[in-house]
Amino acid sequence: MSTPSKPSVLVVDDKENMRKLFSRILGDAYAVTEAADGEQAIAQLSSRAFDVVVTDIQMPGADGFAVLREVKHRAPETQVILVTAYASIPKAVEAIKEGAYDYLSKPFDPDEVALVVARALEKRRQGHEATNLKARLAVAPELHGLLGGSAAMHALHGLLSQVATRDLTVLLTGETGTGKELAARAVHRESPRAAKPFVAVNCGALPAELVESELFGHAKGAFTGATAAKPGLFEEAHGGTLFLDEIGDLPLPVQVKLNRALQEKEVRRVGTTTAVKVDVRVVAATHRDLSAEVSAGRFREDLYYRLNVVTVQLPPLRERREDIPLLAMHFLSRAGRPEVEGFTAEALRALAAHDWPGNVRQLENAVARAVAVTKGPRITPEDLPPEINTTRAAATGATAPGVRATSDSLAKLPYREAVDGARDAVSREYLSALMQEFGGNVTHAAERAGMERESLHRLLKRYGVRSEDFKRSE
């Protein structure tokens, strides 16, 4: 088995002792290449790409700014960290405005170096993942809005396309939010009836006293308020497709008339005895178990068998988790905030761990909420609805009140993601306990942790632990 290659770091400094120091600090985790000045660095950059570049600002000839500009020209995803003396910090801040990731001020702590490089690498990885997600989204299998490259969605696309060519009644089943109306529209658009009307109605949303009139139409004066004759939805859909959503909610008397309309291919408007011929393909949908509804006497058996010519089951989102990142990026792209570039790795792990009882519709709403509240270029777990973070806490073992990791919840994540999530949860718990112990005093806490104060500050910021939340009142 081949060993995974280490991330690559280019260290640029005109002082050999500084280059060797960085190599000692980073050499175990990274493949470090050295350059003795800006010209050597630019030559290296012209022949290969690096994950991270660590460069001194003050060098003879081409300085750190020249290296930064070359990196941004050749490999924009490569992260650049500037190294500067304290007096030159304003220059480092200027470099960050030009695209550098961060800076290190001399003298620096080895832990701080390792942390900043690790965070820069994580940002590069997230940028790479976002680019890959966008590329995958551009070529993702899609059938008239039904998006997904999982095996379950491949099978669904194939079945819907095949069924669409046959002029048969279709019954779509599946949980709420799985995309049954999109599937119905796909059947219509893939069928010979595509140029004719597609008419959709939610049977559960119609008042019981108006269902028959809406479906079959009515004559003038048929009931109070019927001031003019009105065709029903069957007539509106003539030549095309009528989508009857939540058909399990139809009242029993209307089920009798619907069964007859499907059998005879004609309808009678309320208040008349004249039949009107209709050429309509019916696609019905329900989240209910219609066979159980038949046994309970709430759905007519004859109508059930008439509708159940071809049944298509839509998979719940939890059974096609590999589609979640693609769908999340798809909804993000439609959200109208181009400055929000994507999701952090933690946010994607949180989305993938959730069971999504509301399925794709719930995911769309969660992304819309996150886009609305996020303040940065990437959506973080804190931007997601609370119930999603609760799921991830359970899956990774975070110590939310009353939450414990179980084998079932952990098994919902790939091994690496579960371990990464557990590590993050332990780090956050440790930092919170440290701040609690020292009442938010970062200096004393850093001494206990065995690191420099600035290094601890960076960890607190990374894991969202606010020292001021732990300060004790005098």
Side-chain angles (χ1 to χ4, degrees):
M1 182 180 296
S2 61
T3 302
S5 59
K6 295 179 180 180
S8 58
V9 177
L10 175 62
V11 174
V12 189
D13 201 299
D14 59 324
K15 298 179 179 63
E16 184 179 7
N17 64 328
M18 292 301 296
R19 298 196 303 272
K20 297 307 178 187
L21 174 59
F22 277 112
S23 293
R24 284 198 300 272
I25 294 171
L26 302 173
D28 289 342
Y30 304 96
V32 179
T33 301
E34 298 179 18
D37 54 39
E39 282 82 3
Q40 282 190 22
I42 291 171
Q44 292 272 12
L45 291 165
S46 66
S47 61
R48 59 172 293 194
F50 293 88
D51 294 309
V52 179
V53 173
V54 181
T55 178
D56 194 19
I57 291 183
Q58 301 282 3
M59 293 183 293
D63 62 6
F65 281 89
V67 174
L68 171 62
R69 286 190 289 270
E70 187 70 14
V71 170
K72 291 304 157 187
H73 171 68
R74 292 186 176 275
E77 288 186 358
T78 297
Q79 301 301 310
V80 179
I81 299 168
L82 281 300
V83 182
T84 181
Y86 179 80
S88 300
I89 285 179
K91 286 188 176 181
V93 173
E94 180 185 345
I96 289 175
K97 292 178 181 178
E98 293 189 20
Y101 171 71
D102 205 344
Y103 68 89
L104 293 164
S105 59
K106 303 175 184 176
F108 45 73
D109 180 83
D111 289 339
E112 180 185 6
V113 173
L115 176 61
V116 173
V117 172
R119 290 178 64 185
L121 183 65
E122 177 65 12
K123 183 176 181 181
R124 187 197 187 287
R125 187 175 70 81
Q126 288 178 357
H128 187 63
E129 287 179 352
T131 300
N132 284 345
L133 264 181
K134 289 176 182 176
R136 286 174 56 201
L137 184 60
V139 298
E142 184 259 352
L143 183 68
H144 303 292
L146 280 172
L147 177 69
S150 61
M153 290 305 288
H154 273 294
L156 178 64
H157 291 168
L159 181 56
L160 291 175
S161 296
Q162 183 179 7
V163 166
T165 61
R166 306 285 301 279
D167 205 24
L168 301 171
T169 302
V170 177
L171 178 63
L172 303 172
T173 63
E175 298 174 9
T176 297
T178 49
K180 293 188 284 293
E181 182 167 346
L182 283 176
R185 290 183 182 274
V187 168
H188 173 70
R189 290 171 183 169
E190 291 288 303
S191 76
R193 297 176 178 266
K196 297 296 183 178
F198 176 87
V199 178
V201 58
N202 186 328
C203 299
L206 294 174
E209 64 275 12
L210 296 179
V211 174
E212 185 178 349
S213 169
E214 286 293 317
L215 290 177
F216 308 124
H218 61 257
K220 179 180 179 180
F223 50 82
T224 302
T227 57
K230 178 177 179 278
L233 297 177
F234 266 88
E235 291 179 68
E236 287 185 24
H238 183 72
T241 302
L242 177 61
F243 175 51
L244 300 175
D245 196 10
E246 298 302 346
I247 196 167
D249 294 341
L250 276 180
L252 282 168
V254 179
Q255 292 180 28
V256 175
K257 296 184 179 182
L258 174 60
N259 185 55
R260 180 173 178 81
L262 295 176
Q263 177 182 328
E264 303 297 333
K265 301 186 184 302
E266 63 182 29
V267 296
R268 287 186 174 86
R269 295 183 181 180
V270 176
T272 71
T273 58
T274 305
V276 178
K277 286 290 183 181
V278 288
D279 174 22
V280 172
R281 179 189 198 159
V282 169
V283 177
T286 181
H287 72 281
R288 300 180 185 275
D289 181 348
L290 287 189
S291 61
E293 294 293 294
V294 169
S295 298
R298 292 187 292 266
F299 201 84
R300 289 187 60 88
E301 186 175 25
D302 51 0
L303 177 59
Y304 171 63
Y305 287 118
R306 193 169 299 281
L307 293 171
N308 194 25
V309 178
V310 178
T311 298
V312 178
Q313 175 83 25
L314 274 71
L317 191 53
R318 64 181 174 276
E319 292 181 4
R320 55 184 188 105
R321 293 181 188 273
E322 59 267 50
D323 289 332
I324 290 175
L326 282 178
L327 288 166
M329 186 61 77
H330 170 66
F331 295 136
L332 173 60
S333 69
R334 291 169 33 181
R337 285 193 65 187
E339 69 274 19
V340 182
E341 302 168 358
F343 302 81
T344 66
E346 275 195 317
L348 286 177
R349 286 195 289 266
L351 293 174
H354 194 57
D355 273 347
W356 301 106
N359 292 292
V360 178
R361 185 181 300 131
Q362 184 189 6
L363 173 61
E364 181 176 13
N365 292 339
V367 172
R369 186 255 195 200
V371 171
V373 304
T374 190
K375 296 178 181 178
R378 297 190 186 281
I379 290 170
T380 68
E382 289 71 29
D383 298 323
L384 300 173
E387 65 272 15
I388 295 172
N389 282 311
T390 300
T391 299
R392 185 166 184 270
T396 59
T399 55
V403 172
R404 290 290 182 273
T406 66
S407 57
D408 287 344
S409 61
L410 283 171
K412 292 172 184 174
L413 294 172
Y415 172 78
R416 180 177 173 183
E417 292 187 5
V419 171
D420 287 348
R423 181 198 62 211
D424 292 345
V426 170
S427 297
R428 193 174 291 109
E429 181 181 0
Y430 171 78
L431 293 169
S432 296
L434 195 63
M435 289 295 99
Q436 181 71 38
E437 174 72 17
F438 292 98
N441 188 310
V442 178
T443 300
H444 293 164
E447 291 174 1
R448 168 65 62 80
M451 64 176 65
E452 294 295 322
R453 190 175 187 276
E454 184 61 27
S455 299
L456 180 56
H457 263 305
R458 291 179 185 274
L459 282 173
L460 293 170
K461 183 177 179 182
R462 177 182 181 183
Y463 290 106
V465 178
R466 290 159 32 102
S467 59
E468 55 266 33
D469 291 342
F470 297 88
K471 291 192 182 298
R472 299 179 182 130
S473 58
E474 297 297 335

